[in-house]
Amino acid sequence: MIPAKERYNLALQATNSALGHEEDAKADQTLITVMLLGLYETNTCTSPRSMQSWTQHISGAVQLLRLRGKEQLQTRIGHQLFVQLRGQVIINCMQRRARVPDDIPEWTLCAMAYETPEEIIDSNLSLIIVKFCNLRASMDSFDDYRDSARVVSAAYNIDAELAGWAMQCAVQSVYNTVTIQSQCESVFSDYYHTYDTIWAASTWNSYRGIRILLNELLGRQLTHLSQHHFDYPEAYDEYSSMPYETQILCCKSLLVHLSQDICASVPFYMGYHNRQDGQESPRAPPAAAGGNLLLWPLFTAACTNVVSDMMRSWVIGRLEKIAEVMGISQATALAHLLHIRKDPPGKNVIDLDLTQEASDEW
């Protein structure tokens, strides 16, 4: 870890030097370096300070993105860098309950002119996720009930967009279900999913993770409206004629289904397949890139209140496995948060954690 930290500090110094020259700051390698510095914080995360440093690197990368201009979207590497950074920005804003910078959806629309049909599907999902991020950012917390009717209406509209996206994606990106004959540690239930690529799996899990968060928010807001006997104006929305109990039950049912589907993707990420005798057999060691892509969907699946303790314990075990096999320390941190049932540090991380005496501990 010490040699890695020394190299990190050298890279940080070199990057700061490059930022002093506009042409160097615009170079692909400078943006790549900043993103890799953020990845280092993810892989070595041992305290809230690492999460804060990750946020700072993401913010710096966004500034570089603006400096580079929209012209970068016309080159293949420039487009790929934008797509990778877009995902990190969205995750970071989700964690901090912050609005996504307007540049992200605006540039996503511009980038779609140069994208393949598969890439356009991914971009469309990102645009929907941005809407949810911004809805959350308009609230103080999930338990902000000052304007529940508006939140519910907006949430249902976003959920309808997500459902439509899933129907479109299912046509172009099909995944297969493999049934196992006997229980094994790597598979939560009696089946798992396989995908054409790890990117296809990650796109599906992004959809599942965001729809979990959306329906958890929707369920809480509906419960509040039900308890206060709120009556929608006539013809307010299509769903308003449904009893609250029915709407809440639909949310819970969907939460369980989506969480199970995320768990079913884990064996594919971790490189396991099923032999003819039904016994578990490892493939080549899984790449760390897959572990990084799996962290937040897996954490999200276990955070919802409707999942069983059995599923939550299994997810904790998988996160610990990711940390052990892939060396991603953030997985250990997330497993610990699930143990104590606590959210990651949010927008007040500096006031709440970093000024405390034990600021280097979760």
Side-chain angles (χ1 to χ4, degrees):
M1 181 62 72
I2 293 177
K5 184 65 175 179
E6 291 174 351
R7 290 178 180 272
Y8 171 87
N9 289 332
L10 288 173
L12 196 58
Q13 293 172 11
T15 303
N16 287 334
S17 176
L19 294 177
H21 307 277
E22 184 172 339
E23 288 305 311
D24 290 340
K26 288 182 176 180
D28 290 336
Q29 59 264 33
T30 303
L31 179 56
I32 292 171
T33 300
V34 173
M35 293 172 66
L36 286 174
L37 290 172
L39 183 62
Y40 172 86
E41 295 292 351
T42 297
N43 286 350
T44 63
C45 178
T46 56
S47 75
R49 289 189 188 277
S50 297
M51 301 288 280
Q52 189 72 1
S53 296
W54 173 58
T55 295
Q56 291 170 350
H57 288 313
I58 293 299
S59 298
V62 171
Q63 294 303 318
L64 288 178
L65 195 72
R66 291 167 176 156
L67 180 65
R68 288 157 56 89
K70 296 179 182 178
E71 297 78 13
Q72 67 187 294
L73 301 175
Q74 300 176 29
T75 69
R76 193 60 189 163
I77 188 170
H79 173 269
Q80 290 175 335
L81 287 172
F82 168 71
V83 170
Q84 291 300 313
L85 180 57
R86 177 180 67 192
Q88 291 296 301
V89 170
I90 290 175
I91 291 174
N92 189 263
C93 289
M94 191 81 64
Q95 174 207 325
R96 297 184 297 114
R97 301 187 184 94
R99 279 187 62 86
V100 176
D102 292 338
D103 314 63
I104 298 300
E106 178 185 342
W107 287 32
T108 295
L109 291 171
C110 294
M112 291 170 74
Y114 312 103
E115 293 181 340
T116 64
E118 293 77 14
E119 290 170 337
I120 289 175
I121 288 178
D122 189 54
S123 291
N124 281 330
L125 178 61
S126 295
L127 291 172
I128 301 172
I129 294 175
V130 167
K131 292 180 182 180
F132 173 67
C133 282
N134 293 343
L135 175 62
R136 279 192 69 183
S138 70
M139 305 167 61
D140 289 341
S141 70
F142 259 31
D143 299 319
D144 181 354
Y145 303 117
R146 292 172 298 173
D147 197 2
S148 291
R150 176 192 66 84
V151 171
V152 166
S153 179
Y156 266 122
N157 289 335
I158 296 172
D159 193 66
E161 289 191 58
L162 286 169
W165 178 91
M167 291 181 63
Q168 179 189 15
C169 188
V171 175
Q172 298 195 31
S173 181
V174 179
Y175 57 86
N176 298 312
T177 300
V178 179
T179 303
I180 63 174
Q181 301 302 315
S182 58
Q183 289 287 338
C184 68
E185 181 186 13
S186 294
V187 182
F188 173 69
S189 184
D190 59 351
Y191 69 93
Y192 63 92
H193 294 155
T194 61
Y195 301 81
D196 290 337
T197 66
I198 201 165
W199 305 112
S202 297
T203 298
W204 274 108
N205 275 348
S206 294
Y207 152 78
R208 292 164 183 148
I210 203 66
R211 207 170 179 191
I212 284 173
L213 293 172
L214 178 66
N215 276 270
E216 188 160 46
L217 170 64
L218 187 55
R220 292 190 188 190
Q221 297 290 326
L222 287 168
T223 299
H224 172 78
L225 292 177
S226 173
Q227 291 172 346
H228 289 77
H229 308 290
F230 177 81
D231 292 324
Y232 288 99
E234 187 175 353
Y236 184 78
D237 266 319
E238 173 185 348
Y239 58 82
S240 59
S241 60
M242 296 171 56
Y244 281 117
E245 292 76 9
T246 302
Q247 296 180 62
I248 294 169
L249 184 61
C250 287
C251 289
K252 290 181 177 180
S253 177
L254 186 57
L255 286 171
V256 172
H257 173 71
L258 293 168
S259 297
Q260 289 176 338
D261 276 356
I262 289 176
C263 290
S265 74
V266 174
F268 176 79
Y269 280 93
M270 299 296 289
Y272 282 85
H273 72 286
N274 190 247
R275 295 206 310 248
Q276 292 297 321
D277 58 6
Q279 298 298 312
E280 173 185 313
S281 176
R283 295 176 180 170
N292 278 295
L293 292 168
L294 182 58
L295 288 186
W296 288 102
L298 197 54
F299 180 76
T300 300
C303 275
T304 178
N305 291 327
V306 301
V307 301
S308 65
D309 290 338
M310 181 183 297
M311 178 184 287
R312 189 170 291 108
S313 296
W314 183 84
V315 168
I316 290 172
R318 293 300 88 196
L319 288 170
E320 292 171 344
K321 189 72 172 179
I322 289 172
E324 174 191 346
V325 174
M326 303 181 187
I328 303 174
S329 297
Q330 193 176 24
T332 301
L334 294 177
H336 177 68
L337 291 174
L338 288 175
H339 269 301
I340 62 177
R341 301 295 298 276
K342 180 181 178 183
D343 288 335
K347 62 175 71 174
N348 297 321
V349 63
I350 296 177
D351 295 333
L352 295 180
D353 293 303
L354 300 187
T355 57
Q356 303 297 320
E357 184 176 352
S359 59
D360 288 332
E361 299 178 1
W362 288 99

